[in-house]
Amino acid sequence: MNLLAGKRIVLGVSGGIAAYKAVEVCRLLVDAGAHVMPVLTGGATRFVGRATFDALASERARMSLFDEEDPIPHTTLGQTADCVVVAPATARVIGSYAAGISSDLLTATLVATRAPVVVCPAMHTEMWEHPAVAANIATLVGRGVHIVGPESGHLAGGDEGAGRLSPPANIAAAVNRVLEARRQPSDMDGLSVVVTAGGTREPIDPVRYIGNRSSGKQGHALADEAVSRGAQVTIVTTVDRPAPPGAAVVRVDTAAQMAEATAAAAAGADVVVMAAAVADFRPVAPVGVKLKKRDGAPAVHLEPTPDILAALGASKPPGQILVGFAAETCDLVRNAAAKLRDKGADYIVANDVTAQGAGFACETNEVLVLSSDGRVHSIGLRSKRQVAQAVLDLVVADRVAQTAQQENQ
Ligand code: PMT
């Protein structure tokens, strides 16, 4: 599970030849969605440029205890960090940290933080095996500091032995593990969730299509909410909106592509939520070249698209919870109840897309959730994220009831 997403990580880099590998550590953490704040020692900049970290990290690299923008950068960094990782950590930095000496921004940040700390030593074998370094490492381990590596292999100057920095991927994985160990359990932990979002586009010719006004906001809000509650999420989407870090994203355009991607993802899923606005009809024979105005108005013959939700309802594995949406302009409850029945869903989230602040493209929504056991939940006008929260609360309550039932059997 990716726990780096959204976490504030101080990346301390001290002066050793392995400092160049810290660039890759920075990139891996940023790619995983972490907010990375680099802190370089003077020695680090002998080996790797500050501009590299400025460009790659989430904030400019810091080096000094005395910063014009922030009068006390070490406490700001230390107090706001979810984790501090030092890679590479030299014998000097390890010794200062063990002794509580805060003579530069990195060591001051280490002393000023209560966040978990991951130290990744890298130095020559003679230094690594020196009793003073070994004692300092033992002191840090005794205080709960996580030590990653070093490994054996090639060292600077053509030497071989223990002291090589752990591979960047191992360091990023170690930071993730440390965050995982401190994480509070969440109510969608371990659940696999598929969400569809956006409106499909059914081509008429290479430049024109039949589409709809879905922005993908409601579907993406569901994916964001599910990820934040610990689920493994696959989002099948037609829009370019940012997906939550850690989610698997499948980009599609047409109903047929969405049907294929959703069927594949839904096979092993615990929960499937069809928030996408799927076109009901598509041109039978899209033409391969742009239709010319001079040829007059074309006759576009339509055929039904695959009904993705109905197909999922018909082949629903035991225990899976299937949530559909209904975009209506009149008779909200009656139309939604018919969709609930016809499509074999466990829930239909019905929105009147003509209501003020509800439906397509806006930031808010107002829905009725009809469940297959006859309950109707009203979720008044609120943000799409809050609607997502309320819908997933119902799903989670169902899962809890299912589990309790299984345990009683
Ligand atoms: O994306 P936003 O701008 O945030 O807007 C949100 C929304 C209005 C798109 C969303 O809240 C919503 O209502 N989504 C469903 C839109 C829709 O296609 O409704 P429908 O009543 O036509 O379809 C009913 C259900 O069947 C839906 O779950 C739909 O995904 C599914 N369907 C429809 C047609 C089809 N061929 N296959 C399907 O699976």
Side-chain angles (χ1 to χ4, degrees), residues 214-216 218 274-276 305-306 309 325 327 339 343 351 361 384:
S214 171
S215 62
Q218 185 62 78
M274 285 287 308
T305 55
L309 181 59
F325 270 67
K339 281 177 183 161
K343 301 201 186 214
N351 36 200
K384 284 185 172 168

Side-chain angles (χ1 to χ4, degrees), residues 203-209 287-291:
I204 297 170
D205 70 12
V207 297
R208 304 178 181 94
Y209 60 84
V287 285
V289 291
K290 184 182 172 193
L291 292 165

